[in-house]
């Protein structure tokens, strides 16, 4: 059921995203610890975090900085890692593309995996109505502050975080919680299965390309299954019509 107001949609979006911060906080802590550990000043570290707003790209680029890679290598690597956001944007465009630029620019900057997943689930069920943007803004704001504050905490907590906490394991768990509700039919199941298998098989590819391969493969598989189902429906309808 669509929300009665934009304010309520924003609040619900923020509330929906809040549990998912448990998945990004550990990664943010690790990112903050790594940034300070490699010699970045707190100002440089938080500036880099705000510039990237992408944990995976930031971590890889910091590794490249430590190995004295060329700046062009760092830029290209970050762009490749974040190619998935092009797919996210294209998926959200039919619902949010009509917004004015003053809304599009901050929305594009604050796009995250979690916000995209939450909005896709809601949009797919028709539960947002005209308040898709406020709902998205609520999810994006929560994830933005959750990420940046966790990086800031990691910068100042540093070595006091025990290694046996296994912080990185919380990230895939949060995405698993998002995946399960999104599997509603054969197409979504095929997309999830194909994407997961490809991502695992391509996990050793450089620059996080395994994630991109899994995402593309999942999309293609889902579209193929959906197209096949439509063809079968049309064929069955024609058969019934001929029989009658």
């Amino acid at each position: 059921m669509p929300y009665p107001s934009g304010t309520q949609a924003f609040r619900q979006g923020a509330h929906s995203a809040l549990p998912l911060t448990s998945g990004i906080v550990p990664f943010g802590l690790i990112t903050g610890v790594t940034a300070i550990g490699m010699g970045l000043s707190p100002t440089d570290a938080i500036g880099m975090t705000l510039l990237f707003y992408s944990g995976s790209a930031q971590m890889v680029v910091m590794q490249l900085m430590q190995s004295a890679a060329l700046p062009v290598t760092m830029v290209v690597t970050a762009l490749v890692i974040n190619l998935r956001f092009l797919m996210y944007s294209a998926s959200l465009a039919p619902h949010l593309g009509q917004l004015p630029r003053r809304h599009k620019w901050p929305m594009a900057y604050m796009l995250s995996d979690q916000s995209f997943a939450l909005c896709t689930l809601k949009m797919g069920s028709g539960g947002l109505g005209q308040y898709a943007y406020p709902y998205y803004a609520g999810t994006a704001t929560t994830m933005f502050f959750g990420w940046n504050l966790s990086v800031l905490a990691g910068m100042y907590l540093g070595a006091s975080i025990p290694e046996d906490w296994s912080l990185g394991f919380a990230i895939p768990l949060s995405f698993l919680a998002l995946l399960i509700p999104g599997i509603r039919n054969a197409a979504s199941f095929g997309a999830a299965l194909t994407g997961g298998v490809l991502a695992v098989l391509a996990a050793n590819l450089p620059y996080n390309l395994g994630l991109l391969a899994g995402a593309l493969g999942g999309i293609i598989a889902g579209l193929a299954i959906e197209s096949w189902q439509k063809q079968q429906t049309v064929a069955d309808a024609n058969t019934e019509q001929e029989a009658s």
Side-chain angles (χ1 to χ4, degrees):
M1 179 178 179
Y3 298 105
S5 68
T7 301
Q8 186 170 346
F10 179 91
R11 290 175 178 172
Q12 184 58 46
H15 183 266
S16 298
L18 193 59
L20 299 181
T21 57
S22 62
I24 64 168
V25 166
F27 194 18
L29 292 173
I30 295 171
T31 302
V33 171
T34 303
I36 297 301
M38 63 178 287
L40 292 179
S41 68
T43 301
D44 290 339
I46 198 63
M48 185 179 187
T49 302
L50 290 171
L51 176 64
F52 276 72
Y53 191 45
S54 171
S56 55
Q58 184 174 349
M59 285 292 287
V60 171
V61 169
M62 286 194 295
Q63 293 173 5
L64 292 174
M65 290 172 64
Q66 287 182 306
S67 61
L70 293 174
V72 65
T73 303
M74 301 178 194
V75 172
V76 171
T77 300
L79 290 175
V80 170
I81 291 173
N82 288 332
L83 279 176
R84 68 188 186 280
F85 289 108
L86 289 176
M87 296 185 290
Y88 293 173
S89 299
S91 178
L92 293 174
H95 305 278
L96 302 172
Q98 75 283 1
L99 294 170
R101 288 186 178 181
R102 68 178 183 275
H103 290 157
K104 282 184 180 179
W105 284 107
M107 180 179 66
Y109 169 70
M110 297 175 72
L111 180 60
S112 66
D113 299 298
Q114 293 84 356
S115 293
F116 170 75
L118 286 170
C119 289
T120 300
L121 288 174
K122 279 290 185 179
M123 291 171 182
S125 62
L128 293 180
Q130 61 180 320
Y131 297 118
Y133 175 71
Y135 181 87
Y136 170 85
T139 65
T141 300
T142 299
M143 301 309 299
F144 179 81
F145 281 103
W147 169 252
N148 284 285
L149 290 175
S150 63
V151 173
L152 191 64
M155 288 163 47
Y156 289 100
L157 289 175
S160 64
I161 301 176
E163 293 184 3
D164 58 0
W165 278 15
S166 300
L167 296 177
F169 192 62
I171 301 168
L173 287 180
S174 67
F175 282 106
L176 186 62
L178 286 172
L179 172 65
I180 301 303
I183 300 178
R184 301 191 182 97
N185 48 43
S188 57
F189 176 77
L193 181 62
T194 303
V197 171
L198 285 177
V200 171
L201 293 177
N204 292 326
L205 290 178
Y207 309 129
N208 211 24
L209 287 175
L211 178 61
L212 181 62
L216 287 173
I219 291 172
I220 293 172
L223 290 174
I225 294 173
E226 189 174 36
S227 176
W228 178 80
Q229 288 179 322
K230 289 180 179 179
Q231 292 176 0
Q232 287 296 112
T233 301
V234 172
D236 292 342
N238 291 336
T239 301
E240 292 179 1
Q241 187 175 8
E242 291 174 358
S244 61

